[in-house]
Amino acid sequence: MKILLDSCIWSGAKKTIEASGYDCKWIGDFLKDPGDEAIMHLAVHEERIIVTLDKDFGELAVFKGTAHAGIVRLVDFSATRHGEITLFVLKNYADDLLKKSIITIDPIKVRIRSWGY
């Protein structure tokens, strides 16, 4: 699986994820944030799962029907846990992510919205 971390994800998460063998890009490494729609397009083109703190990507997918390759939204985790929590989701919900699901995780629950395409 390939991962695309939104700029709001802690930069240290990239190293944690790469250390576990994943191909990972972080929008914060780009010269300029390209914006949500361009990020979605890039993620689809490169078959990358977007990891974010924002609702925006889910809203683009659900309400506008924007194509995506899977989305993980982290809610209420400290920045230093972003890599750890992302790895937890990647390892435990890989099948759902490969089906382009949208996964929202907070300290209490995991919500999976499946698309089936």
Side-chain angles (χ1 to χ4, degrees):
M1 272 188 279
K2 296 188 282 185
I3 312 305
L4 181 59
L5 302 176
D6 194 8
S7 58
C8 58
I9 296 295
W10 178 56
S11 63
K14 181 181 176 191
K15 291 178 186 175
T16 300
I17 294 164
E18 287 177 330
S20 290
Y22 292 95
D23 179 337
C24 186
K25 288 184 178 180
W26 179 53
I27 295 298
D29 285 335
F30 292 27
L31 292 176
K32 177 182 167 191
D33 188 317
D36 294 345
E37 290 188 17
I39 291 169
M40 292 273 280
H41 178 75
L42 174 65
V44 168
H45 179 73
E46 294 187 3
E47 298 180 6
R48 291 183 181 275
I49 295 162
I50 294 173
V51 180
T52 186
L53 305 179
D54 300 332
K55 291 181 181 180
D56 300 345
F57 294 104
E59 289 174 356
L60 283 170
V62 174
F63 298 118
K64 287 193 171 183
T66 305
H68 64 90
I71 300 168
V72 175
R73 180 171 169 249
L74 309 180
V75 179
D76 294 333
F77 290 103
S78 67
T80 57
R81 294 196 65 207
H82 289 173
E84 166 199 350
I85 299 303
T86 298
L87 287 175
F88 172 83
V89 172
L90 295 175
K91 292 175 182 176
N92 290 286
Y93 299 95
D95 290 341
D96 296 295
L97 290 169
L98 291 173
K99 294 175 187 170
K100 301 178 181 170
S101 295
I102 298 173
I103 298 177
T104 302
I105 182 168
D106 66 38
I108 298 170
K109 66 184 176 300
V110 176
R111 178 177 176 228
I112 301 170
R113 176 176 250 164
S114 299
W115 292 100
Y117 56 67

Short mmCIF file of all heavy atoms in Angstrom, two decimals, residues 4-13 25-30 32-36 39 50-54 57 79 82:
data_model
loop_
_atom_site.label_atom_id
_atom_site.label_comp_id
_atom_site.label_asym_id
_atom_site.label_seq_id
_atom_site.Cartn_x
_atom_site.Cartn_y
_atom_site.Cartn_z
N LEU A 4 -0.40 8.71 1.31
CA LEU A 4 -0.20 10.14 1.10
C LEU A 4 -0.69 10.86 2.34
O LEU A 4 -1.88 10.86 2.64
CB LEU A 4 -0.98 10.61 -0.14
CG LEU A 4 -0.85 12.09 -0.51
CD1 LEU A 4 0.62 12.45 -0.78
CD2 LEU A 4 -1.71 12.41 -1.72
N LEU A 5 0.24 11.44 3.09
CA LEU A 5 -0.10 12.15 4.31
C LEU A 5 -0.43 13.60 4.00
O LEU A 5 0.35 14.30 3.33
CB LEU A 5 1.08 12.11 5.29
CG LEU A 5 1.57 10.73 5.73
CD1 LEU A 5 2.80 10.88 6.62
CD2 LEU A 5 0.47 9.96 6.43
N ASP A 6 -1.57 14.05 4.45
CA ASP A 6 -1.96 15.45 4.30
C ASP A 6 -0.97 16.32 5.10
O ASP A 6 -0.31 15.85 6.03
CB ASP A 6 -3.39 15.63 4.81
CG ASP A 6 -4.02 16.94 4.42
OD1 ASP A 6 -3.44 17.69 3.62
OD2 ASP A 6 -5.13 17.22 4.93
N SER A 7 -0.90 17.59 4.76
CA SER A 7 0.04 18.50 5.44
C SER A 7 -0.27 18.67 6.92
O SER A 7 0.62 19.03 7.70
CB SER A 7 0.05 19.86 4.74
OG SER A 7 -1.24 20.43 4.73
N CYS A 8 -1.50 18.40 7.34
CA CYS A 8 -1.88 18.54 8.75
C CYS A 8 -1.38 17.38 9.61
O CYS A 8 -1.44 17.44 10.83
CB CYS A 8 -3.39 18.69 8.89
SG CYS A 8 -4.32 17.31 8.19
N ILE A 9 -0.89 16.33 8.99
CA ILE A 9 -0.33 15.18 9.72
C ILE A 9 1.09 15.54 10.14
O ILE A 9 1.86 16.11 9.36
CB ILE A 9 -0.36 13.91 8.85
CG1 ILE A 9 -1.80 13.51 8.51
CG2 ILE A 9 0.39 12.77 9.52
CD1 ILE A 9 -2.64 13.09 9.69
N TRP A 10 1.45 15.16 11.36
CA TRP A 10 2.77 15.44 11.89
C TRP A 10 3.85 14.88 10.97
O TRP A 10 3.77 13.73 10.51
CB TRP A 10 2.88 14.83 13.29
CG TRP A 10 4.21 15.00 13.95
CD1 TRP A 10 4.87 16.16 14.19
CD2 TRP A 10 5.02 13.95 14.50
NE1 TRP A 10 6.05 15.91 14.85
CE2 TRP A 10 6.17 14.56 15.05
CE3 TRP A 10 4.89 12.57 14.57
CZ2 TRP A 10 7.18 13.83 15.66
CZ3 TRP A 10 5.89 11.84 15.19
CH2 TRP A 10 7.03 12.48 15.73
N SER A 11 4.87 15.67 10.69
CA SER A 11 5.92 15.27 9.76
C SER A 11 6.65 13.99 10.20
O SER A 11 7.09 13.21 9.36
CB SER A 11 6.93 16.40 9.57
OG SER A 11 7.58 16.70 10.79
N GLY A 12 6.76 13.76 11.48
CA GLY A 12 7.43 12.57 11.99
C GLY A 12 6.71 11.28 11.65
O GLY A 12 7.30 10.20 11.67
N ALA A 13 5.43 11.38 11.32
CA ALA A 13 4.66 10.18 10.97
C ALA A 13 5.22 9.52 9.71
O ALA A 13 5.20 8.29 9.58
CB ALA A 13 3.19 10.54 10.77
N LYS A 25 4.35 9.47 1.08
CA LYS A 25 4.63 10.86 0.74
C LYS A 25 3.89 11.75 1.72
O LYS A 25 2.80 11.39 2.18
CB LYS A 25 4.16 11.20 -0.68
CG LYS A 25 4.99 10.57 -1.78
CD LYS A 25 4.51 11.04 -3.14
CE LYS A 25 5.38 10.47 -4.24
NZ LYS A 25 4.91 10.92 -5.57
N TRP A 26 4.47 12.93 1.99
CA TRP A 26 3.85 13.90 2.89
C TRP A 26 3.69 15.22 2.14
O TRP A 26 4.66 15.73 1.57
CB TRP A 26 4.72 14.09 4.14
CG TRP A 26 4.21 15.07 5.12
CD1 TRP A 26 2.97 15.11 5.69
CD2 TRP A 26 4.93 16.17 5.68
NE1 TRP A 26 2.88 16.17 6.57
CE2 TRP A 26 4.08 16.84 6.58
CE3 TRP A 26 6.22 16.66 5.51
CZ2 TRP A 26 4.46 17.97 7.29
CZ3 TRP A 26 6.61 17.78 6.23
CH2 TRP A 26 5.73 18.41 7.12
N ILE A 27 2.50 15.75 2.10
CA ILE A 27 2.22 16.99 1.38
C ILE A 27 3.09 18.14 1.91
O ILE A 27 3.46 19.04 1.16
CB ILE A 27 0.72 17.35 1.46
CG1 ILE A 27 -0.13 16.31 0.74
CG2 ILE A 27 0.44 18.74 0.90
CD1 ILE A 27 0.14 16.16 -0.74
N GLY A 28 3.48 18.08 3.16
CA GLY A 28 4.35 19.10 3.74
C GLY A 28 5.71 19.19 3.07
O GLY A 28 6.41 20.19 3.19
N ASP A 29 6.11 18.14 2.34
CA ASP A 29 7.38 18.16 1.61
C ASP A 29 7.26 18.87 0.26
O ASP A 29 8.26 19.16 -0.38
CB ASP A 29 7.88 16.73 1.36
CG ASP A 29 8.45 16.08 2.61
OD1 ASP A 29 8.91 16.81 3.52
OD2 ASP A 29 8.44 14.83 2.68
N PHE A 30 6.05 19.14 -0.19
CA PHE A 30 5.82 19.83 -1.46
C PHE A 30 6.16 21.31 -1.27
O PHE A 30 6.04 21.85 -0.17
CB PHE A 30 4.38 19.70 -1.91
CG PHE A 30 3.96 18.30 -2.32
CD1 PHE A 30 4.57 17.16 -1.83
CD2 PHE A 30 2.92 18.12 -3.20
CE1 PHE A 30 4.18 15.89 -2.20
CE2 PHE A 30 2.51 16.86 -3.59
CZ PHE A 30 3.15 15.74 -3.09
N LYS A 32 4.41 23.75 -2.30
CA LYS A 32 3.16 24.44 -2.03
C LYS A 32 2.06 23.39 -1.87
O LYS A 32 2.02 22.41 -2.61
CB LYS A 32 2.84 25.37 -3.20
CG LYS A 32 1.54 26.10 -3.10
CD LYS A 32 1.33 26.96 -4.34
CE LYS A 32 -0.10 27.44 -4.40
NZ LYS A 32 -0.43 28.05 -5.67
N ASP A 33 1.18 23.58 -0.91
CA ASP A 33 0.04 22.67 -0.75
C ASP A 33 -0.86 22.84 -1.98
O ASP A 33 -1.34 23.94 -2.26
CB ASP A 33 -0.74 23.02 0.52
CG ASP A 33 -1.81 22.01 0.87
OD1 ASP A 33 -2.53 21.56 -0.05
OD2 ASP A 33 -1.95 21.68 2.05
N PRO A 34 -1.09 21.76 -2.73
CA PRO A 34 -1.85 21.88 -3.97
C PRO A 34 -3.36 22.01 -3.79
O PRO A 34 -4.07 22.27 -4.76
CB PRO A 34 -1.51 20.58 -4.71
CG PRO A 34 -1.17 19.62 -3.62
CD PRO A 34 -0.55 20.43 -2.52
N GLY A 35 -3.86 21.83 -2.58
CA GLY A 35 -5.30 21.90 -2.34
C GLY A 35 -5.92 20.51 -2.35
O GLY A 35 -5.37 19.57 -2.93
N ASP A 36 -7.07 20.40 -1.71
CA ASP A 36 -7.69 19.09 -1.49
C ASP A 36 -8.03 18.35 -2.78
O ASP A 36 -7.78 17.14 -2.88
CB ASP A 36 -8.94 19.24 -0.63
CG ASP A 36 -8.62 19.69 0.79
OD1 ASP A 36 -7.44 19.62 1.19
OD2 ASP A 36 -9.55 20.11 1.50
N ILE A 39 -4.93 17.03 -4.35
CA ILE A 39 -4.40 15.94 -3.52
C ILE A 39 -5.18 14.66 -3.80
O ILE A 39 -4.60 13.58 -3.96
CB ILE A 39 -4.43 16.31 -2.03
CG1 ILE A 39 -3.41 17.41 -1.74
CG2 ILE A 39 -4.17 15.08 -1.14
CD1 ILE A 39 -3.53 18.03 -0.36
N ILE A 50 -5.06 8.38 1.40
CA ILE A 50 -4.86 9.68 2.05
C ILE A 50 -5.07 9.52 3.55
O ILE A 50 -6.05 8.91 3.99
CB ILE A 50 -5.87 10.73 1.52
CG1 ILE A 50 -5.58 11.01 0.04
CG2 ILE A 50 -5.79 12.02 2.34
CD1 ILE A 50 -6.63 11.89 -0.61
N VAL A 51 -4.15 10.07 4.33
CA VAL A 51 -4.29 10.13 5.78
C VAL A 51 -4.37 11.60 6.16
O VAL A 51 -3.51 12.39 5.76
CB VAL A 51 -3.11 9.44 6.51
CG1 VAL A 51 -3.28 9.53 8.02
CG2 VAL A 51 -2.99 7.98 6.06
N THR A 52 -5.39 11.96 6.92
CA THR A 52 -5.66 13.37 7.21
C THR A 52 -6.31 13.53 8.58
O THR A 52 -6.73 12.55 9.20
CB THR A 52 -6.58 13.97 6.11
OG1 THR A 52 -6.72 15.37 6.32
CG2 THR A 52 -7.95 13.29 6.10
N LEU A 53 -6.42 14.78 9.01
CA LEU A 53 -7.19 15.13 10.20
C LEU A 53 -8.51 15.78 9.80
O LEU A 53 -9.41 15.93 10.62
CB LEU A 53 -6.40 16.11 11.08
CG LEU A 53 -5.01 15.71 11.52
CD1 LEU A 53 -4.38 16.82 12.37
CD2 LEU A 53 -5.03 14.40 12.29
N ASP A 54 -8.60 16.18 8.55
CA ASP A 54 -9.72 16.98 8.06
C ASP A 54 -10.89 16.14 7.55
O ASP A 54 -10.69 15.07 6.99
CB ASP A 54 -9.26 17.90 6.92
CG ASP A 54 -8.17 18.85 7.33
OD1 ASP A 54 -8.12 19.20 8.52
OD2 ASP A 54 -7.36 19.23 6.46
N PHE A 57 -11.75 15.69 2.82
CA PHE A 57 -11.59 14.63 1.83
C PHE A 57 -12.79 13.69 1.82
O PHE A 57 -13.26 13.28 0.75
CB PHE A 57 -10.29 13.86 2.07
CG PHE A 57 -9.07 14.70 1.85
CD1 PHE A 57 -8.35 15.20 2.92
CD2 PHE A 57 -8.65 15.02 0.57
CE1 PHE A 57 -7.24 15.99 2.72
CE2 PHE A 57 -7.54 15.82 0.35
CZ PHE A 57 -6.83 16.30 1.43
N ALA A 79 -0.25 14.71 17.93
CA ALA A 79 0.55 14.67 16.70
C ALA A 79 1.58 13.55 16.73
O ALA A 79 1.77 12.86 15.73
CB ALA A 79 1.22 16.02 16.47
N HIS A 82 0.42 10.15 15.35
CA HIS A 82 -0.13 10.01 14.00
C HIS A 82 0.45 8.81 13.25
O HIS A 82 -0.30 8.07 12.61
CB HIS A 82 0.10 11.29 13.19
CG HIS A 82 -0.73 12.43 13.63
ND1 HIS A 82 -0.56 13.70 13.12
CD2 HIS A 82 -1.74 12.54 14.53
CE1 HIS A 82 -1.42 14.52 13.68
NE2 HIS A 82 -2.15 13.84 14.56
#
